[in-house]
Amino acid sequence: ALILIAAVQFFKIGSEQSDKAQHIQSLAILPLINSDDDPDLNYLTEGIPEGLINRLSSNPNLRVFSRNATFTFRDSLQNFSKIYKTLKADVIFTGQISRLADHLILSCQLTNAKTQEQLWGKKIKESAENIVDVEDALVASLIDPLQIQLISEKEVRGHTVNPEAYT
């Protein structure tokens, strides 16, 4: 709940925007960096971003660039201006994954593509017992904070739909 309040306060939408706040309309999700060069983590470097792309692309208020469009920038992680010029993405999702004993650690960020200013960041630590379950747990833990930040203007204003109007 505390993350929800902080994210909503940080990403105000509408006429009361602060310098950092913005309405996110498009998102480029890049592959994760394998910080340890651990071959067992290679699957997750693409699997987690692909899971985010698949889940977030169903949001009608957000344009999420495809895996084919964003994974070509695997080696351009520090060149956000190139990604911004090519894709015209508002925000870029990046992250690193590493192993510490029997845990996986994911550090991820959302960065304004135009200004290169970090807008959000999170560190997640999960047990590495089953790598497929770890991917699902990591993707699930990232979806909620991203959905909060990518909320539509109608939802922020409290606009509700009257289902009787459609009958």
Side-chain angles (χ1 to χ4, degrees):
L2 191 54
I3 292 174
L4 169 65
I5 293 168
V8 170
Q9 289 297 319
F10 188 74
F11 286 85
K12 292 180 184 176
I13 299 173
S15 61
E16 299 177 12
Q17 290 184 335
S18 70
D19 291 340
K20 275 192 165 185
Q22 66 178 28
H23 179 79
I24 300 171
Q25 295 178 336
S26 59
L27 175 64
I29 300 172
L30 301 183
L32 301 175
I33 296 170
N34 183 345
S35 299
D36 297 336
D37 290 324
D38 181 343
D40 291 339
L41 298 180
N42 286 337
Y43 168 76
L44 293 176
T45 63
E46 292 187 5
I48 291 170
E50 190 169 345
L52 287 170
I53 290 168
N54 291 339
R55 292 181 187 181
L56 290 172
S57 63
S58 64
N59 184 331
N61 301 314
L62 178 67
R63 186 177 64 175
V64 179
F65 291 95
S66 72
R67 178 187 195 280
N68 289 341
T70 59
F71 281 28
T72 60
F73 295 101
R74 173 184 299 279
D75 298 325
S76 302
L77 294 178
Q78 301 303 318
N79 193 353
F80 289 165
S81 59
K82 179 180 178 182
I83 297 169
Y84 175 73
K85 287 176 186 173
T86 305
L87 298 178
K88 303 290 189 248
D90 295 327
V91 175
I92 299 171
F93 173 89
T94 58
Q96 304 80 36
I97 190 163
S98 61
R99 184 184 307 268
L100 180 63
D102 61 344
H103 285 83
L104 295 178
I105 299 170
L106 173 69
S107 176
C108 51
Q109 307 81 34
L110 286 177
T111 304
N112 179 310
K114 187 174 183 180
T115 65
Q116 300 186 26
E117 185 175 19
Q118 182 170 323
L119 304 172
W120 173 86
K122 183 166 178 94
K123 192 172 196 175
I124 299 166
K125 183 178 176 183
E126 289 285 338
S127 172
E129 289 178 10
N130 184 340
I131 203 154
V132 175
D133 290 342
V134 169
E135 179 193 342
D136 289 342
L138 291 173
V139 170
S141 67
L142 291 170
I143 291 297
D144 287 337
L146 290 173
Q147 287 294 93
I148 293 164
Q149 294 173 19
L150 302 172
I151 195 167
S152 73
E153 287 185 43
K154 290 178 185 175
E155 292 166 318
V156 170
R157 287 193 303 248
H159 176 77
T160 57
V161 176
N162 180 355
E164 293 178 13
Y166 297 99
T167 59

